[in-house]
Amino acid sequence: MIGNHCLYNLPRDKLLPLLKIPNHGDGCTHAYYDFSPTPGYRFVVLDGYDISAIGWPHDHPNRLEALKILSEKNPNSDKNSPEGLKGVDRRFVMFNGAVGNKQMEWLDNVLKDATNMKQKVIICCHVPLDPGATSKTTLLWNYDQVMDLIQRYDCVKVCLSGHNHQGGYSVDSRGVHHRVLDAALECTPGTNA
């Protein structure tokens, strides 16, 4: 799955083919997909930078939507600064992003299908989905909408993410485990990452 550091280095149209991320056959450069490594399980990889100020061409509608969100939610001239923002509003910084409407519809259909197939689902998204598992500055912009959707389904068991380099863990009100994986670059010198 892609993250902000990937998008700092390569635009989506170059990055996704290198990572062999499927494009849903529509030629789009969205980085969400699912797969089942075995019949009882399904991995769902979300694109937390679907709506984002990074990775898209300058005039792309997803970038323009992200800039509009940032201008409404973050009064700072440096949109990577959460200064003055309180609680979960600290998430409205440029190094985060959101899951778009088309992806939300896709996710709903995937979770319906997984439920019908009696699969256990592991959700993966670079940007964390649960405020209890991460710093408020490293949270998906529309985490609440994504979590409302996920919590409609009993098939979702675990959400894995990164982004918050110190890592984190929580169990939400529906019993879904949220694990934010520590970044190897935060490993104390002389210890095993």
Side-chain angles (χ1 to χ4, degrees):
M1 80 188 116
I2 63 169
N4 54 313
H5 292 277
C6 305
L7 295 170
Y8 294 152
N9 291 290
L10 288 172
R12 297 176 161 263
D13 61 344
K14 303 279 190 261
L15 180 64
L16 274 52
L18 284 174
L19 297 176
K20 297 180 174 49
I21 293 177
N23 67 12
H24 301 281
D26 58 8
C28 290
T29 50
H30 298 291
Y32 54 89
Y33 60 98
D34 68 304
F35 64 95
S36 295
T38 186
Y41 290 88
R42 184 177 302 202
F43 282 81
V44 176
V45 178
L46 298 179
D47 180 356
Y49 293 93
D50 192 10
I51 306 300
S52 172
I54 55 176
W56 293 107
H58 188 73
D59 60 348
H60 193 280
N62 292 16
R63 181 178 183 276
L64 297 176
E65 183 178 346
L67 292 174
K68 182 176 184 258
I69 291 168
L70 286 169
S71 71
E72 291 170 359
K73 302 288 188 178
N74 186 333
N76 298 310
S77 58
D78 175 4
K79 297 302 182 194
N80 270 325
S81 172
E83 189 172 330
L85 300 174
K86 304 289 183 211
V88 294
D89 283 349
R90 293 176 62 78
R91 72 190 187 274
F92 292 109
V93 289
M94 193 177 285
F95 54 80
N96 294 333
V99 169
N101 291 333
K102 184 176 175 184
Q103 185 177 177
M104 290 287 283
E105 291 173 22
W106 170 85
L107 176 59
D108 191 30
N109 289 327
V110 168
L111 295 179
K112 281 179 195 167
D113 188 52
T115 298
N116 292 336
M117 295 179 68
K118 298 184 180 0
Q119 292 176 312
K120 293 178 179 157
V121 173
I122 296 112
I123 304 265
C124 302
C125 182
H126 180 76
V127 188
L129 305 176
D130 184 45
T134 190
S135 148
K136 305 306 181 256
T137 58
T138 57
L139 194 58
L140 191 75
W141 289 345
N142 62 336
Y143 78 91
D144 47 350
Q145 295 168 343
V146 175
M147 288 304 298
D148 285 347
L149 176 59
I150 287 171
Q151 291 182 341
R152 289 184 214 152
Y153 296 94
D154 291 331
C155 61
V156 178
K157 304 302 179 190
V158 175
C159 294
L160 300 174
S161 58
H163 200 43
N164 182 358
H165 295 179
Q166 290 75 35
Y169 174 75
S170 70
V171 179
D172 68 29
S173 62
R174 294 288 304 259
V176 176
H177 295 261
H178 296 263
R179 179 68 171 102
V180 180
L181 303 173
D182 307 40
L185 65 89
E186 296 288 338
C187 182
T188 305
T191 64
N192 189 339

